Amino acid sequence: PMLRGDDGWEPISWSRAYTIAQQRLSNIQHQYGKQSVATYIGNPCVHNHGLMLTLPLLLRSLGSPNRFSATSLDQLPHMLANLKVFGHQGLFPIPDINNTQYFLCIGGNPVTSQGSLMSLPNAKEKLEAIKRRGGKVVVIDPRRSETAEIASEYYPIRPGSDPYLLLGLTREIIKNNWVRMGHLEALTDGLDTLATVVEAYTTQRVSAITGISEQHIRHIALSFSSSTAAAIYGRMGVCTQEFGSINAWLIHALNALTGNLDQPGGTLFTQPAIDLFNLLGQPQQTGHFDARRTKVRKLPEFSGEFPTAAMAEEITRDDKARIRSLITFAGNPVLSAPNGTKLDRALETLDFMISVDYCINETSRHAHLILPPTSPLERSHYDLVFHHLAIRNTTKYSSPLFSPPEGAQHDWQIVLALTERLGGHRSLLTKLQKRLYLILVRRFGIDSILDLLLRVGHYGQLWDLGDRVNSLLSSNLLLKKPYALARSLFQRAPFYKQEVQPDSFSAILDRLLIRNTDHAQGLSLTELKKHPHGLDLGPLKPSLTKKLLDRNKTIDLAPKTFQRHLKYVAARLDEFEAENRSTLHEQKNGGNKARPYQLSGRRDLRSNNSWMHNYHRLVKGKPRCVAIMNPKDASRHRVRKGDLIRITSDVSHIDIPVEISDTVMTGVVSVPHGWGHHRAGTRLSIAEKHAGVSINDITDDQFIDQLTGVAAFNGLSVFIKKSPMNSTNKESKQQEAEPPLEAN
C-alpha cells in the first residue's frame, strides 16, 4: 500500500492502510452522512470474479447511494432496453453468428473488439464464413472500420443519427406488411403503438439526416426482413450518443418484428453455467430505473448507480451532503469520463480518496491511499459476465500462473478487509449475513463461492435446487419439520469414504453430493479444472418463451419510457431540418458559414482502453493517437498528414496529429479513446512517452442521453482548424509552403 503525504508517496503496511481507511471513511460518514462516500467501479472489475462476488458486500456496508461505474460510459442503454422490453436487465439477445444469413452491424466493430456484448472469438473468420455460405455482412458506421472492410455492404452514416435510421427501417417494415413475429407473436404487445410512433419517420426525412439514400434505406429494410435468418447488432457507436437508449430499444424491436428474436440464425439467449441473473431458478437483479435522482441535474439512477457524467458536479456542489470521499476500483475516469479535465479538478477537492489499483495513473494520483492487488496472472480467473454474452454456451476456469509474492493481497481480500471494518450502521440480519459470507470466503477462498455457483447452475449437481426449495416451501413441509430442507436437498447423495483435505471446500462438497463425471450433468469446480481449455456446453437455443412465462411477462415493443422520450428525438430532427434550410439559403446568397464537424470515437486492437498504454508491445510502432479526416475536409483546411489540427468543443480544445483517409465520411473527425498520459504526478513511464491527447478533454459532461444520463461521446459538434502549434515545428513550416494535396 502507498500513502500520499506532503513529501510524496510512502509505502506502508496493510494493517496501517486498513486502519487509516477505516478511520477516515468512518469519520467522514459520521460527520456528513453515509452519502458522503462514493464508489467508482472500472471496466476491468467485470472480468474479475473475486471482485464481482465481494463488491456488493462492501457497497451494502457503505450504504451510500452515490455509486458510479463504467456501465454509464458503455452498455447501460442496452440494459435499460432489456429491462423495459423483456423485463430483465440481464436478458441480452446474442446474434447467432454461426447460423445467420444477414448480419446487420450498426456502430460496432467486432473484428477489433472480438464482439463487445457478443463474445466472439476469431470474429473476422466467423464474419467471413457468413459470406462464404451465401449470406451478407452489412455495416453502418461513420468510419469504414476493420469490420466494414470485409463487409458485403457498407453505408456511412452521420454520427448520432442512428435512431432515425432505425425508426425509418421500422416504419418501412410495418408499412409494407413485412412483420412476422413467429412463435413469440402471442407473447408480444405494442405493435399498433409502435406503428403509430414511427409513422413520421419517412425515408425522405431519414435520408436527409443520416446521409444514407432513400433507396438504400428501403433496400436494407427489405433485405433484413426477407432473410431466412438475420440479426441486428449495435454496440458502442449506438450506445454512447444522445439517443442511445432509443437505439437499443429499436434494435430489439426490429429483431422481434422480423421473427429473428429467439430464433436460430437470429438472436438467442445464453444458458450459462453460472446464471447470475437467474440464480436457483429465481430471477435475480431484475433491475430498476429512476428510483432516485442526482442532486444537481436530477439525472436518474439505474439499478442503484448514478451516471458517471454527474460525478464531478456531485463532488463539487456547495452543500454539506456533497461527495467528500471516493473509492475507485480498477478505473481511470479522468480519461474515460466526459469532460475529464473537469473531473480531474473535482478529484483534487476530495477530503479522502482510496484507489484499488496497480498504478499511479491519471485518476489514482489524486488518491490519499492506494491499495495494490495481485496481478491477473497471480489469481484464478472465471468470467462470470461474459459467458452470458457468448455465441455458444461455454464455461472456463483458469488457475493462477504464478504464486503471489509474500504479503500481497488479492483484490477480493482487500474488499473483504474494508467490508469488515465498515458498515456499523447496518441491521443485525445484514451483519449476520455478512459475517457468514466472510467466514466462508476467508476459510476456503473466493473459489469456494464459485464452486457453489457452478454446482447449483444449470449444468451442476444441484441444478434443480431451486425447484426443490420451491416445492418444499409450497408444501409447507419446512414449517412442520425444520430439518426437512437439508434432508430434501441431499436425500439422494451418497457419502464417499475417501479421505479429503479439511481445507478443500470442493472436496467436502464432493463427499456430500453425487459425483457425476458427465460435465453436462454434474459440473463443479473440481470437474472444470480437468478441462483447462474450457468446456463447450452446446449451441444457443430458443428459450425466451420460458423465460417470459416464468415471470408472467410479455415482450413490450413500445415501452412508455421510450415513447415519452421520442419527443426529444423528433425535436432534434426538426432542428436539423431547420438548420439545413438555413444553410441552403445562405449558400444561395453567397454565404460560407462554417459548419461544425461531428466527433466520432474509435478503438483499435492494441488500444482498447487507457490501461493498455503502459506496455511497450502495445504502443510500439506508428503513433495511434491521431485524428482521421476525409481528404476533402483536409484539403479545405489545407492540412497534410502529420500536421496538428485543433479540435474545439464547447468544453475545451485538443491539438492532435491528423491522418487523411477516405475511411471516414466528410464532416466527421475520428479520434481514438484512452490517451492523454501527459498529466503531472503519474507513474506510467511508457505511457508518458506515448502520451497523446484525451478525446474526453473535449467531450461534454452536459451532452448526454437525456433519458439515462449516459455520456454521449459520439455525435458531439466540434470545430476544426489548423493548429497554431504547427508554427513551432520546422517541418510543418516547410510543408505549409508546399501546395496542399488535392481532395479525392
Side-chain angles (χ1 to χ4, degrees), residues 77-89 91 93 184 187-189 194 245-257 261 269 544 548 551 553-562:
H78 285 297
M79 298 177 73
L80 179 62
N82 296 345
L83 176 63
K84 296 300 180 181
V85 175
F86 306 126
H88 199 299
Q89 64 178 350
L91 282 177
L184 295 175
L187 293 171
T188 304
D189 294 327
L194 182 62
S245 302
I246 297 294
N247 293 332
W249 156 50
L250 292 170
I251 287 171
H252 286 342
L254 282 164
N255 280 321
L257 289 174
L261 179 64
F269 297 85
L544 185 57
L548 291 170
R551 294 179 291 111
K553 184 75 177 72
T554 58
I555 299 168
D556 189 353
L557 290 179
K560 291 182 180 178
T561 299
F562 300 125

Side-chain angles (χ1 to χ4, degrees), residues 570-591:
R572 185 69 76 227
L573 179 56
D574 291 340
E575 288 177 14
F576 172 82
E577 290 173 337
E579 290 173 5
N580 233 16
R581 289 191 295 269
S582 174
T583 300
L584 290 173
H585 176 75
E586 185 174 334
Q587 289 175 350
K588 286 180 180 178
N589 289 277

Side-chain angles (χ1 to χ4, degrees), residues 130-274:
I130 296 174
K131 297 191 295 180
R132 286 198 299 270
R133 58 178 177 260
K136 284 188 175 183
V137 175
V138 180
V139 173
I140 298 172
D141 200 287
R143 180 174 70 95
R144 193 169 68 245
S145 64
E146 291 81 358
T147 303
E149 290 287 1
I150 66 167
S152 312
E153 299 172 10
Y154 164 63
Y155 302 97
I157 186 171
R158 183 175 179 266
S161 66
D162 305 81
Y164 305 103
L165 174 65
L166 294 168
L167 287 162
L169 292 175
T170 304
R171 180 184 182 276
E172 281 295 298
I173 289 170
I174 295 175
K175 181 184 69 127
N176 291 294
N177 296 317
W178 295 336
V179 175
R180 46 181 179 87
M181 287 184 283
H183 71 290
L184 295 175
E185 185 170 2
L187 293 171
T188 304
D189 294 327
L191 177 58
D192 291 341
T193 303
L194 182 62
T196 300
V197 299
V198 302
E199 182 56 35
Y201 299 93
T202 63
T203 53
Q204 182 180 11
R205 299 185 76 196
V206 168
S207 176
I209 192 170
T210 61
I212 302 175
S213 71
E214 294 184 58
Q215 178 185 357
H216 286 149
I217 293 170
R218 294 190 186 100
H219 168 70
I220 294 168
L222 176 59
S223 300
F224 178 71
S225 60
S226 61
S227 176
T228 55
I232 296 185
Y233 165 77
R235 251 322 271 131
M236 286 292 289
V238 298
C239 272
T240 54
Q241 58 172 271
E242 192 175 13
F243 301 115
S245 302
I246 297 294
N247 293 332
W249 156 50
L250 292 170
I251 287 171
H252 286 342
L254 282 164
N255 280 321
L257 289 174
T258 54
N260 290 300
L261 179 64
D262 199 43
Q263 276 289 96
T267 56
L268 293 164
F269 297 85
T270 57
Q271 183 60 72
I274 298 178

